Amino acid sequence: MMDLQTRLECPDWAWPGLNEAFPTQDELARQLDFLLRPPPLDLRVNTLKCKAGPDDALNAIRSAGFDASATPWSPLGIRLDKRVPLETLPGLLDGVVEP
């Protein structure tokens, strides 16, 4: 069976400090597991090119079959939970949305 450090792909230099930072091995594993996951793709809506507003850009991306939502903190953001080829996003080549 693989040891926890190897399974979590944690480098030797970081392991001692992380063990001190997290109170239990379960919490350490939970935190490091997040680092192994691919991040979401956040886009910014260019309001100079999207006069109708961010909701219009979001609806265009959803209509093209992408699973997208508004970002939690920025009213001008769109989040895709999965990475996609950028050139396939509606509005990207026109400058309506930007990574």
Side-chain angles (χ1 to χ4, degrees), residues 43 46 49 85-99:
L43 305 170
N46 182 343
K49 297 209 175 185
L86 292 177
E87 68 275 3
T88 63
L89 291 170
L92 186 93
L93 297 178
D94 301 327
V96 173
V97 294
E98 303 168 346

Side-chain angles (χ1 to χ4, degrees), residues 21-89:
F22 297 104
T24 66
Q25 292 289 295
D26 287 341
E27 180 64 16
L28 173 64
R30 191 174 76 77
Q31 294 295 326
L32 288 179
D33 187 51
F34 282 112
L35 296 176
L36 295 174
R37 297 178 189 178
L41 172 63
D42 284 354
L43 305 170
R44 183 185 71 84
V45 177
N46 182 343
T47 56
L48 297 175
K49 297 209 175 185
C50 186
K51 301 292 185 193
D55 289 339
D56 200 44
L58 176 59
N59 290 332
I61 290 172
R62 285 179 176 161
S63 294
F66 296 98
D67 186 20
S69 60
T71 56
W73 296 288
S74 172
L76 301 178
I78 297 173
R79 176 165 288 171
L80 288 94
D81 287 331
K82 295 181 181 176
R83 294 275 186 188
V84 299
L86 292 177
E87 68 275 3
T88 63
L89 291 170

